[in-house]
Amino acid sequence: MVLLKAIKPIDLNFYSMVEKYMNEKQKLLSQLPSVDEILKSGEGMKWLETYPRRYVLNAIRHALDARRREILDGLATGLSVELMAAEIRRNIEKLSSYSLIPLVNATGVVIHTNLGRSVLSEKALENIRRVSGSYSNLEYDIDMGKRGKRYTHIKRVLREVTGAEDALIVNNNAAAVLLCLNAMSRGREVIVSRGELVEIGGSFRMPDVMAASGAILHEVGTTNKTHLFDYERAINENTSLILKIHKSNFRIIGFTDEVSIEELVKLGERHHIPVMFDLGSGCLIDLNPFGIHNEPSVKEFVKAGVDITTFSGDKLLGGPQGGVIVGKREYIEKIQKNPITRAVRIDKLTLAGFEATLMEYIDEEKAVETIPTLKMLLQKPGELKKRANVIARRLRKEIPDAEIRVVADTSRAGGGSLPETDLPTYTVSLRTDKLPVNELEERLRKNNPPIIARIKEDSLIIDARTVREKDIDILARGMRTVLSG
Ligand SMILES: *Cc1c(COP(=O)(O)O)cnc(C)c1O
């Protein structure tokens, strides 16, 4: 009793304070404009003219909810339409902008799978627009006036640039491998070296693909060494295929041995077993003149007698996503008839981009200039130094306080291509007292358009190899924006 009496006055006082406080909150809440009021304001009318009504409404509700929460938390800020307008506009813009957007790749990795792999050539882009903005003869034989096949459009040029008897193209190289294995080896054995059972990322692991295709994996050799006799001993009446796989994204060094494709072809011929090579990247031109000596062209494998060769469209080839299968006619015909071909078929946009890209290879000298992937990969150090100097000069003008240097470095091809090749490059190395380097990297990444660079020690690194002419301006303005705001 005594205790209660002692507490009561405090209690009352407390409750009245709470009540007063709540009344204040109620008052603030009632001052919030309604959705309708905002819609009918000058700003609201303007938004409705430009953006979808649904996004305008969502953005307004979002802003009002945020204000309401702030009021209840005792943090009320500006409640008028004018004070909320900037936030609402930002919300609307966010909602109505695309998710898939172009960005600046300053990493120097040319075939960057996360950043969209190959940049398409002008010819490819033009042809995609031309063909897909109209009806086309996609599956129509104009001469005969009847149904045709979509693959005919690409067979001739693929034969020309690879020297193969026949060719097929599907959705991507993973699909090409799955399809070939299913068509050639379902329920039968495929011999593969233990040194080549790769995982190429994105859950594409050779043993798993093999299982999914219905083929039976027959592993031979060891991780570091596989000999011809390992393959030979594995051959039995259920063997359907000898498969070689490009060690796309790793290297085994030291005490190693593998069997060359030429030896495998001879072995296959002796035992009447076809030989398949999953090349992964697959280059259509001879890279030797450019100082890259460990990546033979597709043509050379075809000439060596490989029965089936598969490779990607958007790696070294520099075209759209696709999986190319080239080889002997009897096998290509068998593969084309398989039901999986229909399930992984290529669409007309890709086909249009592919045909245009492949046509560029008819003149290889021009192709290395007009196909961006090739051009970026094969740039000479002198050109890269010049480009790095242009970037550095521009950045010095934009952000005079920063420490900016041009530095010799190396870049990688990426995308599981040329894993053993370090490409000499020049980078712009940048440091500023205004921001820690990781924050600078993050702000550039979140810039519009995003700029993706890497960090080395305490500097931001911009590799001139993948910074294209039109990117330099974006880079300079982005840098100024993130350092000033
Ligand atoms: C990249 C790669 C693939 C998959 O090619 P996608 O076109 O990405 O599907 C398959 N095998 C090897 C060896 C590769 O390097």
Side-chain angles (χ1 to χ4, degrees):
M1 219 44 204
V2 178
L3 249 172
L4 267 180
K5 252 185 194 160
I7 284 169
K8 226 172 178 179
I10 301 164
D11 241 359
L12 269 176
N13 192 19
F14 178 68
Y15 280 119
S16 71
M17 264 169 66
V18 168
E19 205 165 293
K20 197 164 145 232
Y21 190 56
M22 291 303 282
N23 281 339
E24 235 159 71
K25 283 186 178 179
Q26 284 304 329
K27 215 169 91 200
L28 284 171
L29 285 174
S30 69
Q31 281 170 14
L32 269 179
S34 70
V35 173
D36 219 43
E37 276 171 78
I38 299 180
L39 275 181
K40 288 191 177 126
S41 69
E43 292 282 0
M45 306 290 268
K46 256 193 284 170
W47 295 330
L48 283 175
E49 265 169 39
T50 328
Y51 300 103
R53 186 180 176 84
R54 179 205 299 219
Y55 287 158
V56 175
L57 282 174
N58 277 355
I60 293 173
R61 289 197 185 112
H62 194 271
L64 286 173
D65 282 347
R67 282 306 88 70
R68 238 172 249 127
R69 265 195 312 276
E70 281 171 13
I71 293 170
L72 293 175
D73 290 345
L75 309 161
T77 49
L79 300 183
S80 68
V81 178
E82 293 72 36
L83 288 169
M84 274 190 279
E87 179 185 342
I88 295 173
R89 168 175 285 281
R90 268 199 307 278
N91 283 343
I92 299 174
E93 275 168 5
K94 216 164 163 186
L95 287 168
S96 47
S97 60
Y98 291 125
S99 168
L100 184 59
I101 51 171
L103 53 72
V104 175
N105 173 10
T107 67
V109 180
V110 176
I111 309 169
H112 198 308
T113 298
N114 300 150
L115 305 185
R117 284 202 188 154
S118 281
V119 175
L120 296 185
S121 70
E122 284 305 320
K123 286 257 170 66
L125 293 171
E126 269 167 35
N127 206 34
I128 290 170
R129 215 186 142 72
R130 194 172 64 95
V131 169
S132 54
S134 165
Y135 287 108
S136 65
N137 62 339
L138 180 65
E139 291 190 352
Y140 185 70
D141 185 325
I142 293 170
D143 289 337
M144 307 295 283
K146 60 174 195 183
R147 183 173 180 180
K149 289 208 167 76
R150 66 180 62 211
Y151 305 106
T152 47
H153 304 297
I154 210 133
K155 280 182 189 266
R156 180 178 61 88
V157 64
L158 266 175
R159 283 198 300 261
E160 277 173 1
V161 298
T162 67
E165 270 177 33
D166 202 358
L168 183 63
I169 184 165
V170 293
N171 183 58
N172 58 11
N173 189 37
V177 173
L178 178 77
L179 166 64
C180 291
L181 290 174
N182 182 270
M184 300 291 296
S185 307
R186 195 157 56 95
R188 301 188 61 202
E189 288 183 13
V190 178
I191 306 176
V192 187
S193 160
R194 289 199 169 88
E196 296 172 5
L197 287 170
V198 297
E199 170 178 320
I200 56 149
S203 79
F204 185 92
R205 310 175 97 190
M206 241 337 140
D208 299 343
V209 173
M210 191 79 72
S213 76
I216 302 160
L217 173 62
H218 190 144
E219 298 176 33
V220 296
T222 61
T223 308
N224 57 327
K225 281 203 174 208
T226 304
H227 304 280
L228 188 61
F229 62 75
D230 290 319
Y231 285 94
E232 189 138 34
R233 279 181 203 157
I235 293 174
N236 62 52
E237 68 287 347
N238 201 26
T239 304
S240 60
L241 195 67
I242 296 169
L243 174 63
K244 193 168 175 64
I245 302 153
H246 194 290
K247 287 192 283 294
S248 294
N249 47 10
F250 75 111
R251 37 189 153 175
I252 302 184
I253 53 168
F255 188 56
T256 65
D257 229 333
E258 64 176 298
V259 182
S260 74
I261 192 70
E262 288 82 5
E263 288 173 282
L264 289 181
V265 167
K266 274 193 215 133
L267 180 71
E269 277 168 3
R270 274 207 302 282
H271 294 270
H272 305 288
I273 295 167
V275 174
M276 170 171 156
F277 198 168
D278 173 20
L279 263 185
S281 202
C283 185
L284 292 180
I285 62 165
D286 180 10
L287 293 175
N288 282 300
F290 301 96
I292 298 168
H293 300 294
N294 39 23
E295 190 65 42
S297 71
V298 175
K299 231 182 215 152
E300 285 172 68
F301 295 114
V302 170
K303 206 155 77 191
V306 179
D307 297 283
I308 302 162
T309 306
T310 65
F311 53 96
S312 283
D314 52 354
K315 291 185 183 173
L316 281 175
L317 197 152
Q321 178 188 304
V324 182
I325 309 169
V326 298
K328 306 253 166 83
R329 180 156 301 125
E330 63 168 305
Y331 301 123
I332 300 294
E333 279 175 1
K334 184 172 173 178
I335 293 163
Q336 193 171 325
K337 284 198 195 103
N338 185 282
I340 291 180
T341 303
R342 174 63 180 81
V344 295
R345 85 173 178 192
I346 194 158
D347 79 303
K348 66 179 178 190
L349 274 69
T350 312
L351 209 46
F354 234 111
E355 189 183 9
T357 308
L358 289 169
M359 290 292 262
E360 295 185 76
Y361 277 97
I362 299 295
D363 185 344
E364 287 187 11
E365 267 168 47
K366 274 198 196 143
V368 298
E369 288 298 320
T370 55
I371 297 176
T373 298
L374 289 181
K375 189 176 167 67
M376 285 189 263
L377 276 174
L378 304 176
Q379 278 168 118
K380 304 211 170 59
E383 296 166 36
L384 290 163
K385 191 174 187 179
K386 228 187 272 171
R387 166 92 45 78
N389 276 320
V390 172
I391 298 169
R393 258 200 307 279
R394 182 70 204 275
L395 289 180
R396 282 189 197 112
K397 214 185 299 166
E398 221 58 71
I399 40 171
D401 305 338
E403 183 188 322
I404 295 171
R405 291 177 306 140
V406 171
V407 183
D409 204 338
T410 54
S411 22
R412 308 307 297 263
S417 312
L418 312 176
E420 292 165 45
T421 311
D422 286 322
L423 304 161
T425 193
Y426 280 89
T427 65
V428 176
S429 167
L430 185 148
R431 219 166 38 176
T432 163
D433 295 335
K434 282 211 184 121
L435 272 186
V437 67
N438 54 340
E439 192 157 326
L440 178 60
E441 183 275 337
E442 182 183 343
R443 285 199 197 173
L444 286 170
R445 175 156 42 85
K446 293 179 176 169
N447 184 55
N448 177 22
I451 296 161
I452 312 298
R454 62 193 163 90
I455 296 173
K456 194 170 181 178
E457 282 143 31
D458 56 353
S459 298
L460 188 90
I461 305 295
I462 295 157
D463 192 324
R465 181 180 299 280
T466 47
V467 176
R468 317 189 66 220
E469 201 59 49
K470 62 176 178 188
D471 293 338
I472 297 177
D473 204 46
I474 299 173
L475 193 62
R477 275 184 294 159
M479 200 69 81
R480 190 181 42 190
T481 311
V482 304
L483 284 172
S484 65

